[in-house]
Amino acid sequence: MEPRRILLVDDDPDIRDLVHRTIGHEFPAAEIREATDEGSLNGALAGWVPDVLITDFDLRWSDGLKVFEWVKAAAPACCTVMFTGTGDEDLAVRAMKQGFDDYIVKRSSQLRRLAASVRIAYDRHRERRELTENRDLVLKELYHRLHNNLQIVVSLMRMTEKAMMDLEARQQLADLRRRIQALTALQEEFYRSQDFRRVDFEAFLEGLARNLVGLAGGRIGLTTEIASTHLTVDVAAPLGLIANELITNVLKHAFPESATGNLLVSLEQQAGELVLTIKDDGEGSRGKQSSGGGLGARLIERLAEQIGAGVEMNLSDAGVTCTVRLPS
Amino acid sequence: MHGAASLMTRSLRVLVVEDEALVADYVADIIEDAGHTVAGVAATGEKAIELLESASIDLAVLDITLRGPMTGIDVASTARACGVPHLFITGSGDPSTRAAAEETQPLGFLLKPFSGERLIEVLMAVITSGHEPL
């Protein structure tokens, strides 16, 4: 693979001619365009994406660093070599810091080196691009398999659930399925964010609440007040599972059987803390109390401990308010 | 053909196109539990097209990656030609696949793993909204 489009920016016609011939000889299949001012640079870049830029620093109408910016804006993958006679060590450092692949002092003896430098820079860019493409392909494949396998897990759980005669066991399996679904929904947000370190927790929590409340078939009105929040995976997964337990709890205990009511799910920053509130206007202290010793309660306790969060539950005859406070 | 008119009624005749047997069973089970009929299950595009052209179907639920040379997106084109609306279920969130799938104007797009409730939600929306894309 060789560069196919090379852009040459220099005010001196003799130098352009020399470079053009040397580079043309090294890469005979390449189209070489020359720019001598802003107009011809824009003209060269119109509908044409260069693979390589060779530019002088000192230009009557601009300088090599600005040319770099223009060309990179139009062709981000373009590799760049500064070929200049006016520079010094300080300029070389600036050019390399800006992102030039190489800096070569303009002398006729250096022309061969310029050609070699272009080849090295181009090969390096190509290798980097191939690595990125390969990585994207592997990620896509892994993602696809992970999601298919998770779907099989969810399918198997539903089948097992339906085969169970014991109602209590079936309920527990349904709870487990929902926990797994909450985790998979979180995984989905990670993929969507294109950043495997952070997740859009607002979108996750909104979806989780909507899905769980949807299970009640319209008996429960849902209000969400969720601030835009991005969390790292080590916090998002435990907090997501806690939210799943708390909302599931409301559906089971606050509004038993065919009772109707309202649920508020809010997430906000308050004085250095991230505060998750799950509030219902269900039976509260009037209803049958859960023992608190169940699996759900134990999960909440352990997960809160893991992320250093405090969980508070206020029970009144107007309903239950659960607050999870997490130091930011 | 069958699509537009039957969509307004509550019970749908659904074609399930999915090459993963357990997932196909899962989808079929959810559809039947919700009171609809599974008109056929196909693991390949060829089989799906045969069913689309021979059976009376109101809705096709299509996985994108199938066994054999055809994809669910190929099946979607035939479904459209037969006047059968479709929705996709897929494990791929890849934007280019998604864009190609969107071109077939599906009623919905469910990303795996999805819950039974989510699938029913989409089916209900199909019934209540007719052919409006979700």
Side-chain angles (χ1 to χ4, degrees), chain B residues 1 49 52 60 62 72-88 100-107 131 133:
Chain B
M1 311 235 186
I49 285 172
L52 273 169
L62 308 173
I73 298 174
D74 300 326
V75 177
S77 308
T78 305
R80 286 197 74 197
C82 295
V84 176
H86 63 280
L87 64 93
F88 287 110
E102 293 287 3
E103 273 184 30
T104 66
Q105 298 184 312
L107 294 171
H131 272 210

Side-chain angles (χ1 to χ4, degrees), chain A residues 148 151-153 155 159, chain B residues 16 18-29 63 89 112 114:
Chain A
N148 264 331
Q151 182 69 68
I152 292 174
V153 170
S155 305
M159 286 174 192
Chain B
V16 178
E18 164 67 65
D19 64 340
E20 201 70 63
L22 293 182
V23 179
D25 287 357
Y26 170 75
V27 171
D29 191 47
D63 183 15
I89 50 172
K112 290 178 183 174
F114 55 87

Side-chain angles (χ1 to χ4, degrees), chain A residues 7-34:
Chain A
L7 176 60
L8 177 54
V9 183
D10 201 304
D11 287 345
D12 184 335
D14 293 338
I15 297 285
R16 283 203 308 276
D17 193 44
L18 265 176
V19 172
H20 198 130
R21 269 191 286 142
T22 309
I23 294 297
H25 183 71
E26 181 78 15
F27 306 108
E31 180 190 351
I32 303 172
R33 287 191 181 180
E34 297 178 10

Side-chain angles (χ1 to χ4, degrees), chain A residues 305-327:
Chain A
E305 200 180 298
Q306 181 181 322
I307 54 175
V311 183
E312 222 175 82
M313 193 173 288
N314 283 310
L315 213 74
S316 76
D317 58 4
V320 178
T321 304
C322 248
T323 315
V324 182
R325 290 176 187 280
L326 178 72

Side-chain angles (χ1 to χ4, degrees), chain B residues 10-50:
Chain B
R10 267 197 61 82
S11 180
L12 304 174
R13 291 178 52 79
V14 185
L15 170 66
V16 178
V17 183
E18 164 67 65
D19 64 340
E20 201 70 63
L22 293 182
V23 179
D25 287 357
Y26 170 75
V27 171
D29 191 47
I30 291 164
I31 289 168
E32 284 178 342
D33 269 8
H36 305 291
T37 307
V38 174
V41 177
T44 65
E46 291 78 0
K47 174 81 180 161
I49 285 172
E50 193 187 308

Side-chain angles (χ1 to χ4, degrees), chain A residues 108-123:
Chain A
S108 60
S109 62
Q110 294 282 61
L111 280 168
R112 188 184 289 275
R113 200 181 139 203
L114 174 66
S117 163
V118 166
R119 185 174 290 283
I120 290 167
Y122 181 75
D123 285 348

Side-chain angles (χ1 to χ4, degrees), chain A residues 140 143-152 154-156 158-159 162 177-178 181 184-185 188 191-192 194 210-211 214-215, chain B residues 18 20-23 25-26 29-31 33 63 65 90-97 111-118 121:
Chain A
K140 210 192 288 183
Y143 172 84
H144 191 237
R145 282 193 200 167
L146 171 66
H147 280 238
N148 264 331
N149 287 343
L150 283 171
Q151 182 69 68
I152 292 174
V154 171
S155 305
L156 282 169
R158 182 183 160 97
M159 286 174 192
K162 289 192 80 173
R177 179 162 55 85
R178 276 193 281 279
Q181 272 167 1
T184 60
E188 179 50 37
Y191 183 78
R192 231 173 254 180
Q194 299 291 322
R210 198 167 48 83
N211 282 343
L215 299 180
Chain B
E18 164 67 65
E20 201 70 63
L22 293 182
V23 179
D25 287 357
Y26 170 75
D29 191 47
I30 291 164
I31 289 168
D33 269 8
D63 183 15
T65 314
T90 177
S92 165
D94 167 43
S96 60
T97 308
L111 211 54
K112 290 178 183 174
F114 55 87
S115 63
E117 292 84 10
R118 184 81 188 97
E121 213 176 284

